Amino acid sequence: MNRHAHVLSGLMLGSLLMLHALTAHAAGGFGFDRTRLVVMAGSRGGTLITAINGTNTLYPLQSRVEPADGATGLPTEGKEARDGLPFLVTPPLERVLPQTRLPLRILEKPGHALAPDREALFFISVKAIPAGAAPEGGGEGMRLMLALQQTVKLFWRPKGLAEDAIYRGEVAPLLKMQVSGTTLKVTNPTPYFITFRELSVGGKPLDTYTLRAMVPPKGTQTYALPAGAAGTSVTWTITDEYGNPTKVQEQR
């Protein structure tokens, strides 16, 4: 996504580079210290996630929680969708110095209407624009600056649900698979959102783009089968609370 903004000093923001679901584990990167965050209902003091600036650039950082669309696996666009969200992020705006970390605290607002028997899905979003000086000589000029926007999934879990149920292997074996023609229907009887790490039918894996769509709690999701998929044998792994794949499951 590209945006252009005129600045009084003569600087020009020439493009906006959108990067999603990245972390700063690699040297020289910018991002979060994890790929997903579980927020337990009623957590005292909120839940922490860390933004890492592994670059040599100072970034003004804007942080917020975004609504999510589980059917696409992406944040929901539009200000209207963000109104009334049950979370706050502090600090919402802060400078991140080069080679430093910024802890962000996710606070749950009281009195929200999230369902008490299943997970709710959101995204944590940070937008960072490199700080830059005006062109030498004080004249007008053009400068290309890359703005980084990164997101990770935020799963809110009501009281009574386990913080690491997927990691402990309690969720993946409960999924039900139904192959019909050129589609696969996945039924999820659990109260947790399902993100597939790998999903294959007849030994043919579904591509990463297709697997972006999540299976909602106590719901279903339908996936188009890849060319050449045959039979009813289905194997899968899902992503746990720490971003790792679970053990391989199989249904014949």
Side-chain angles (χ1 to χ4, degrees):
M1 177 177 66
N2 291 325
R3 296 178 182 174
H4 295 82
H6 179 69
V7 183
L8 293 178
S9 65
L11 295 178
M12 180 70 75
L13 178 61
S15 71
L16 181 64
L17 178 63
M18 303 290 288
L19 302 175
H20 293 283
L22 298 178
T23 65
H25 292 299
F30 175 88
F32 289 108
D33 64 343
R34 67 194 78 181
T35 60
R36 60 200 55 234
L37 179 68
V38 175
V39 174
M40 302 302 295
S43 298
R44 299 183 62 182
T47 306
L48 290 176
I49 187 170
T50 301
I52 304 174
N53 182 6
T55 75
N56 294 320
T57 303
L58 182 150
Y59 284 97
L61 186 69
Q62 182 182 39
S63 306
R64 65 188 180 191
V65 173
E66 302 272 8
D69 181 359
T72 63
L74 294 172
T76 303
E77 297 291 337
K79 178 182 181 301
E80 294 80 6
R82 294 194 295 269
D83 291 341
L85 288 178
F87 300 100
L88 293 173
V89 182
T90 60
L93 186 63
E94 185 64 83
R95 298 198 320 164
V96 185
L97 297 175
Q99 304 297 331
T100 59
R101 299 180 173 221
L102 176 66
L104 299 172
R105 190 177 301 273
I106 313 302
L107 299 172
E108 182 181 351
K109 297 179 184 177
H112 59 68
L114 296 177
D117 64 340
R118 66 194 68 190
E119 272 189 338
L121 174 66
F122 302 88
F123 279 85
I124 306 170
S125 172
V126 294
K127 182 187 293 184
I129 301 177
E136 292 184 6
E140 293 188 356
M142 303 285 288
R143 177 170 296 180
L144 179 67
M145 301 173 67
L146 295 180
L148 309 180
Q149 180 164 323
Q150 302 187 14
T151 62
V152 299
K153 293 173 182 175
L154 184 159
F155 299 92
W156 175 85
R157 290 185 180 174
K159 294 179 180 179
L161 298 189
E163 188 173 4
D164 58 352
I166 300 176
Y167 169 77
R168 297 201 312 240
E170 300 174 2
V171 177
L174 300 179
L175 302 180
K176 304 299 181 184
M177 309 290 173
Q178 181 180 357
V179 179
S180 178
T182 59
T183 63
L184 169 66
K185 180 180 179 181
V186 181
T187 300
N188 174 20
T190 80
Y192 305 96
F193 270 95
I194 302 300
T195 304
F196 284 105
R197 176 66 66 88
E198 297 176 297
L199 180 60
S200 299
V201 176
K204 295 289 185 178
L206 279 69
D207 61 61
T208 302
Y209 180 82
T210 299
L211 296 185
R212 180 183 293 170
M214 304 172 69
V215 191
K218 303 184 180 183
T220 64
Q221 181 64 267
T222 301
Y223 299 95
L225 298 183
T232 59
S233 175
V234 184
T235 59
W236 68 93
T237 65
I238 64 177
T239 304
D240 68 19
E241 293 86 354
Y242 308 104
N244 300 313
T246 58
K247 293 181 179 180
V248 176
Q249 306 292 321
E250 183 174 8
Q251 176 182 300
R252 294 185 177 275

